[in-house]
Amino acid sequence: MRIRVIVLTAFLATLAVPVGFAQVGAVACGDGVAPTSRPAIRGEGWGTYCLPCVWANRTFGRVEVIETLEDALTAASQAHPGTEFLYGEIGFPSGGAFPPHRTHREGLSVDIMVPLEDGAVLPTHPGNRFGYDEEFDDKGRGEAGRIDFAALAQLITELAQGAEARGGSIRRIYFAPDLQPALFATAQGADLPARIRFNTKEAWVRHDDHFHVDFAFACP
């Protein structure tokens, strides 16, 4: 019974808005609007967490955010060949309330699933809410495999550099606090705490199977 409820909930989540094939949109930004788009379904070593969710227009963000995301995913996959990166929820074409999330309203928030070691890929299907129900212990170990903290640090670094190159920044990152020491212990992650604001307390939902990025970009 529980499995049926999970599957039904996950399916209904993809139908939060009418299924469409919009490629561009615009979110409220100051006194005007900022254009939005969505990332490619697949790139070199990376892809979407959920094809039906793409069809349901749940992967839209500010154009600067999407460009930063795609470039960072490509660069991280080139630095870590054989590692598969998956982006998760982003937002609706015109922003606004984005259930079940409390954020993702302004086109500036992106979820990215954690990369795994040894070529493993985080499973994403309706039964685990497309990856959002996977669990990892404080060492980064779970049924799906072990988190590749070096690849994760590389990706975050690429995201920060990409945002800065476009005149923006990373405002903050949510990632499970008990997993952050392993991230910061990597060569690429050593300077991340001084460069980026991370949460020090657990968010309303544990961020172990993914991390949440809030970008900062000025209105056009």
Side-chain angles (χ1 to χ4, degrees), residues 51-141:
L51 191 55
C53 306
V54 173
W55 294 338
N57 292 336
R58 296 182 66 86
T59 58
F60 274 79
R62 289 267 300 267
V63 169
E64 309 97 307
V65 168
I66 300 306
E67 292 176 346
T68 298
L69 174 64
E70 289 186 326
D71 286 353
L73 289 168
T74 298
S77 70
Q78 291 173 345
H80 293 268
T83 299
E84 182 77 9
F85 296 87
L86 300 176
Y87 65 83
E89 304 264 81
I90 303 177
F92 290 138
S94 299
F98 190 63
H101 303 268
R102 295 182 178 181
T103 54
H104 295 261
R105 294 167 179 252
E106 301 170 327
L108 295 170
S109 300
V110 178
D111 285 349
I112 303 177
M113 317 314 285
V114 292
L116 302 180
E117 294 180 345
D118 302 321
V121 182
L122 190 80
T124 57
H125 51 76
N128 70 352
R129 289 199 310 136
F130 300 104
Y132 281 89
D133 277 345
E134 290 299 304
E135 296 182 354
F136 296 87
D137 64 19
D138 59 1
K139 304 298 182 184
R141 299 169 302 200

